[in-house]
Amino acid sequence: MEENNFSKSIFIKSIVLTVLVTALVTSMVTMIVMNNNESSSLLDKISTKLASIEQIVDKDYLGEIDENKIFDETMKGYVDGLDDEYSQYFTKEELEEYKTDNIEGQFVGIGVYIVQDTEKNAIRVLAPIKGSPAETAGILAGDYIVQVDGVTYTGEQITEATNKMKGQEGTTVKIQVLRGEETLDFEVERKNVRVNPIESNVYDNNIGYIKISSFDQGCSKEFTTKLEELKNKNIESLIIDLRNNGGGIVDEATAIADLFTDKGSTLLITKDKDGNEDITYAESDKAIDVPIIVLTNENTASASEILAGALKDNNVAKIVGTTTFGKGVIQELLTMKDGTGLKLTTNEYYTPNRSKINKVGIEPDENVELPDEYKNVITVPQEQDTQLNRAIELLKNMIYTSKYINFISLIIAIVIFFMLNILFMKTSNISVKNISNYIPKIEFKKEKAVSKVKQEVNDEELEKWYIEIPKINLKAPIENGTDLKLNQKSVTIMYD
């Protein structure tokens, strides 16, 4: 009987212990699952929703299903959901095209820089590429692309519109734009467009000029080559034209800024989502030190603003024109294992003085507007280019002021030289007597002194040397090469 009671007691305790352990394990597992659910709840929701949609589509959809397209569009939808106008998902083919167009600077299309206008949900033309089919057709900066081949596109569909404008060389595409209140239609032939990012020139008064259209790969090297060519032409100042430059590769912009700033100068400050800073410094000494003016307008964006801000904040350049676009965020281009890509906004950048750029822009030191009829034109005749002409005028004044200051400095140096000359003569107990209208010419070599004077004698202008030796009362012309001892110092009188 006692053994049975003992066995029952052990059995009951085992059951209780098992229940307690099970409860503890279940509790721990539940806590882990709940924590994982909190971090992956969005992913779970997406998976659950997609599974439900897939079941319905598989069961009832009448047409054919392209699973690859569904996958790509799903990924694009996720990135589009960030509501960031600059972040973008690329298929493998789109990524290759993007690299060719935006990094190598060559593509087949109509040749326009475009941007998504989030306020109007429209596609805005930053600028047609110089010499491109778009420029030839008459498309202008500031136009809004409404339709491509009869299909209407919004700002959110900028990628689709871009792809539609590309195509086989020699084919045509119809572009409808909105310019103010006017709707215009263009038929543009697709061509192989090669971006020529650097142009140079020399204006009167040895004013150098370099225009950068975009910061494509290798842009900084080409800029350096153009700058060396201008230096060999003895330029005394420089204009850097960044108008209608929509940006490009950040490292190309900072490499150009490095040419004009002192080694160790701050060129760019970037911050990530956690507030961590990364500062880019100039790595080399100045390649040239001349007055510089940077031209900007409302289409100067991104990497262009980085260059303009770096030169302005380091006090090596003045900015003339209008306030820049205000794209102060940087995107990283990531390539996935399957060859697809993700362009993602990861950093916001600031000028060396920590001025905010994004949605603000860089204000010029002197605001100058173009005439209304030329505000959205890429190629402006020089006589109508008020911004360029103002820059030339300012640089002429800077050069004149610099030369005037140098001249005054030279005069001061000459005066100081003569004063020191006279002081030397007095301290050496040598004085020139009975002369008029002379200009001393003194040359010091160790303990030798040379002083050449002119005097009229018997109506003839003769070159003679007069010296007075204290306490000896000697006052007579001194022959060339005569050696005298004055105050126990040997002095040789020499003249030309």
Side-chain angles (χ1 to χ4, degrees), residues 407-425 440 442 444:
F407 175 75
I408 296 299
S409 299
L410 177 62
I411 295 299
I412 293 174
I414 293 174
V415 171
I416 292 174
F417 174 76
F418 286 149
M419 292 177 65
L420 291 174
N421 175 21
I422 295 172
L423 180 61
F424 173 82
M425 289 167 57
I442 300 178
F444 299 103

Side-chain angles (χ1 to χ4, degrees), residues 10 53 63 97 216 235 388 474:
I10 294 296
I53 293 174
E97 287 183 8
D216 296 326
I235 62 168
L388 175 61
L474 173 62

